[in-house]
Amino acid sequence: MMKYNWLTVNATRVVMVAAVVLLMQGCGFLKSKFGGKGGKGGEVGVTNGEITATGRKGWKQPTPYGMVLIPSGSFIMGQADEDVAATQINMNRQVTISSFYMDDAEISNHEYRQYVNALLADSVSTLGEEEIMAKFYPDTTVWKNDFTYHNGDPMLEHYYAHPAFDTYPVVGVSWIAAKHFCKWRTNTLDDFRNKEGGYRSFGFRLPSEAEWEWAARGGKSGAKYPWGNPYVANGKGCYLANFKPQRGNFDADGYPYTAPANAYSANDYGLYNMAGNVAEWCRDAYADNTNAIVWDMNPDNQNADEPRKVVRGGSWKDIAYYLETGTRYYEYEDQKRSYIGFRCVMDNLEGRTASARGGKVGGSSKSKSSKKSAKKV
């Protein structure tokens, strides 16, 4: 008798729920969810005179090749150590950064060569070969011009041209050329997606100064360097970046000039050489009063009238101070240096609120798509 009553009660509940669902469908309450008659609402958008549109099919944002996912988050931007001289241009403030993708290493010579070759093959008629070589081809003379009484001839002749340096970061590239590279890279990807019937990408670009610093810290709040605090060498005495150690022993870190783009260990987001090797162009125009003129949500100072552009990260020829995550300085947008390169980012609009609270987002993404493999020194 007890079993019979239980079955009867549950059967009655099922019938009642079904009746309610049918009633709601008859009144039009569920058409938008289930697509209406014929199940075409999600594709057509309007069914039986009612808006039944859901998300368009076929969209997903894959991790771009060679990039890692940087989570969103909030951090104290600015100097991570006492710096009296720069206090007025690098004051601490809390900012929030949305999720984005970033190249796990600096753009290499051979990667940049694809861009130059494409310009010479496709754009001579519009840009002219002279302009391409003057504005976008790497200036190899920087290896001599940047340093007085320096034997830069071997680097001038071989650094960009020889296969031995294919995986080394490209240098001698201005901010203008780096920005144009991002545009070409975007067009190349979008042309392919268009042929495949896919959606356009969100586009490659240079990172903002705030994005760069957030990524360089690798989730380590208040970190002086991308690997943490407070030293530039590990417990075995091995240097953790390519810079100017001691009083000028350039060879002590393993490389007298630049190192491969994937040398040393990555930070906790899977990014290589966010300190040292080559400094990196950022999108922002430089201003001493940046804190006063940018917002604290995705700060980005795009001022076309200011020729000074932010440079971050320090390089192979710099002392340790310039390797600090909070150190900021600048170079003029049309200048080309033997110690400045760049890397690209792409907005992550699909995960605009993505967070690393559940784990290392950058690290997990990198393992699937990175074009670099770690080389530790």
Side-chain angles (χ1 to χ4, degrees):
M1 180 63 68
M2 291 295 292
K3 183 176 181 181
Y4 173 77
N5 289 340
W6 180 82
L7 290 173
T8 301
V9 170
N10 280 276
T12 302
R13 288 177 178 173
V14 171
V15 171
M16 291 178 65
V17 170
V20 171
V21 170
L22 290 173
L23 180 61
M24 293 177 69
Q25 283 184 315
C27 294
F29 292 119
L30 300 182
K31 285 182 179 179
S32 61
K33 182 175 182 179
F34 294 106
K37 185 177 180 181
K40 298 292 185 179
E43 299 176 17
V44 177
V46 177
T47 304
N48 296 335
E50 296 184 82
I51 298 176
T52 57
T54 58
R56 285 175 286 179
K57 295 182 179 179
W59 161 249
K60 64 177 181 178
Q61 184 174 6
T63 300
Y65 180 71
M67 287 188 161
V68 296
L69 178 61
I70 308 301
S72 66
S74 183
F75 74 111
I76 303 299
M77 184 177 177
Q79 60 194 59
D81 201 358
E82 185 176 5
D83 180 11
V84 177
T87 296
Q88 299 305 312
I89 64 167
N90 201 18
M91 294 180 289
N92 296 123
R93 65 179 302 200
Q94 185 167 5
V95 301
T96 300
I97 303 296
S98 296
S99 176
F100 60 96
Y101 295 94
M102 185 178 229
D103 281 323
D104 64 357
E106 300 136 343
I107 297 298
S108 69
N109 281 319
H110 201 42
E111 288 170 330
Y112 194 82
R113 188 175 293 112
Q114 311 312 307
Y115 157 69
V116 172
N117 290 344
L119 290 184
L120 292 173
D122 305 328
S123 303
V124 172
S125 60
T126 55
L127 296 176
E129 184 174 353
E130 184 176 350
E131 181 176 354
I132 292 173
M133 297 302 292
K135 291 181 63 175
F136 307 122
Y137 192 89
D139 182 3
T140 58
T141 64
V142 294
W143 291 106
K144 287 184 66 71
N145 297 337
D146 282 347
F147 311 103
T148 305
Y149 300 113
H150 163 250
N151 181 22
D153 288 344
M155 298 297 286
L156 183 156
E157 182 178 356
H158 300 297
Y159 186 76
Y160 179 69
H162 200 281
F165 294 102
D166 276 354
T167 61
Y168 285 61
V170 68
V171 296
V173 173
S174 68
W175 179 88
I176 296 172
K179 189 176 179 181
H180 195 266
F181 172 92
C182 294
K183 181 178 179 181
W184 168 83
R185 188 177 179 184
T186 299
N187 291 339
T188 301
L189 177 59
D190 286 346
D191 286 347
F192 171 79
R193 288 189 173 183
N194 183 55
K195 292 176 183 178
E196 296 294 315
Y199 292 101
R200 293 179 57 191
S201 70
F202 297 132
F204 298 97
R205 59 176 174 80
L206 294 176
S208 69
E209 179 181 12
E211 287 173 334
W212 191 97
E213 184 173 328
W214 166 246
R217 293 182 184 274
K220 290 181 168 65
S221 179
K224 184 176 180 180
Y225 301 108
W227 51 83
N229 292 321
Y231 306 113
V232 293
N234 61 22
K236 297 180 180 180
C238 299
Y239 287 106
L240 299 171
N242 181 21
F243 67 114
K244 182 180 179 180
Q246 302 167 15
R247 295 190 177 183
N249 186 357
F250 289 93
D251 198 51
D253 54 40
Y255 298 93
Y257 291 100
T258 59
N262 64 333
Y264 305 93
S265 297
N267 72 359
D268 285 354
Y269 285 161
L271 301 170
Y272 296 90
N273 288 305
M274 293 300 283
N277 208 24
V278 293
E280 299 177 13
W281 290 112
C282 292
R283 183 163 69 171
D284 299 57
Y286 179 84
D288 290 340
N289 64 336
T290 292
N291 282 346
I293 62 177
V294 298
W295 198 30
D296 52 5
M297 175 66 181
N298 290 320
D300 189 6
N301 180 21
Q302 295 190 61
N303 181 2
D305 295 327
E306 172 55 72
R308 297 177 300 171
K309 305 302 180 184
V310 173
V311 176
R312 288 297 200 109
S315 74
W316 60 270
K317 64 90 180 174
D318 291 317
I319 59 175
Y321 165 75
Y322 291 98
L323 272 61
E324 296 181 18
T325 55
T327 300
R328 60 192 304 262
Y329 48 109
Y330 67 87
E331 183 56 88
Y332 287 90
E333 61 185 26
D334 60 349
Q335 293 298 299
K336 302 178 179 182
R337 300 297 185 190
S338 61
Y339 45 84
I340 300 179
F342 69 101
R343 70 181 79 205
C344 305
V345 300
M346 177 187 284
D347 290 316
N348 175 29
L349 297 190
E350 188 175 46
R352 199 65 171 163
T353 58
S355 173
R357 294 184 184 93
K360 297 179 181 178
V361 178
S364 61
S365 175
K366 173 189 174 297
S367 63
K368 297 179 181 179
S369 66
S370 174
K371 63 179 177 290
K372 312 291 192 296
S373 57
K375 178 181 179 182
K376 298 181 180 180
V377 175

